[in-house]
Amino acid sequence: MSKRIKIPVRSLGSEVEEPAIPALAAWIAAHRGLEADLITYQMEESLQVQGGVDFPAAGGRFYEPRLIAAIRSINGGVLSGEPALDHRFFIGDAERVVSLRKGAWCSLPAPHLWGVRDAYYHDTDEFQEALCRCVGQLLRTMRDRGIKGHILLCDEYLEEEIEKLAGPRVLMYTENPHPKGLSILLEHQRSIAVPGERVEVALSLLDEFDINRLIVVDPSRDVLVRVQSHFDPGSYEVGGYCRKECGGYWSQLIDSAFIIR
């Protein structure tokens, strides 16, 4: 007799549009005494819609201004001096997220998405290394306050960022992975996330790399059957990354996350 088996669902982030002024004003009024801003609101809202997600992640690409503001020597999108970090809002964000959902991750854009220009190092490698070093320190600050791990959203996999930031508690994700980029990533970690429509890119690398955990984002039923034939239960998950209308998105993803055995 066949049995329906649930697959764990992991969030890679959930985007939140800027709210209308009345909604933001009401939220601020309900949080008197909390040092907060628009991104605090967006972080909270991104998490609230993920009820039922096994591994939630607050945040998304909207978190970019927080990262740039934390590096004091970035002004007008230009790095003009030795980077110095302000950890204050990262501590507050981490503590707020953990108070809402213990075990939550945080999702944020990788440095190459920020559009920051270098007017200090005048050397691409040193500049990229400096930004990655700053990000690594900020991620550790959040993990020290209880954040379980981080998603780094990417447009592409850059070897410099992978070497400095990939690891067991940092999951890098692009919606358009290529074999070369995934190969570089798998040299540094054994958990990867790929869109369901690009799952063959990951499966093609199984002869060369051990993949301990595969997160398949927005998979179709056929894709789940395909993954099931290559991975044991417990070694793959259904992933989600929502760009809009996220309340309905997460509930539909949870309902579809199962296999028949």
Side-chain angles (χ1 to χ4, degrees), residues 7 199-200 203 206 214 216 221-233 235-236 259-261:
I7 305 171
V199 74
E200 292 298 331
L203 298 182
L206 285 174
L214 179 66
V216 192
R221 181 60 46 199
D222 289 343
V223 165
L224 285 180
V225 171
R226 183 96 170 96
V227 170
Q228 182 185 353
S229 68
H230 286 81
F231 289 85
D232 294 330
S235 62
Y236 61 94
I259 56 172
I260 303 294
R261 294 181 70 88

Side-chain angles (χ1 to χ4, degrees), residues 10 16 19 22 29 36-37 46 49 63 80 91 98 102 106 109 129 173 183 187 191 202 226 236 238 247 250:
R10 179 178 297 274
V16 179
D37 60 6
S46 71
V49 296
Y63 203 70
S80 56
I91 293 171
V98 171
K102 288 184 178 180
C106 280
E129 182 176 353
Y173 175 65
S183 296
E187 290 175 357
S191 294
R226 183 96 170 96
Y236 61 94
V238 167
W250 291 110

Side-chain angles (χ1 to χ4, degrees), residues 3-10 52-55 233-234 236 238 254-260:
K3 182 179 180 182
R4 176 173 164 144
I5 300 175
K6 182 183 181 298
I7 305 171
V9 175
R10 179 178 297 274
V53 174
D54 300 284
F55 305 104
Y236 61 94
V238 167
I254 292 165
D255 290 344
S256 68
F258 68 91
I259 56 172
I260 303 294

Side-chain angles (χ1 to χ4, degrees), residues 166-212:
R169 299 179 70 180
V170 176
L171 180 66
M172 307 184 85
Y173 175 65
T174 175
E175 294 177 285
N176 189 31
H178 297 284
K180 182 179 179 180
L182 275 180
S183 296
I184 296 171
L185 186 60
L186 284 166
E187 290 175 357
H188 293 81
Q189 62 185 55
R190 292 292 181 261
S191 294
I192 61 171
V194 296
E197 61 186 18
R198 301 282 290 166
V199 74
E200 292 298 331
V201 177
L203 298 182
S204 69
L205 298 172
L206 285 174
D207 290 338
E208 186 177 357
F209 296 99
D210 292 328
I211 300 177
N212 295 337

Side-chain angles (χ1 to χ4, degrees), residues 108-130:
L108 47 95
H112 71 267
L113 295 182
W114 304 356
V116 172
R117 303 187 308 280
D118 174 32
Y120 177 68
Y121 290 102
H122 305 291
D123 181 278
T124 300
D125 291 340
E126 285 190 53
F127 172 59
Q128 291 175 335
E129 182 176 353

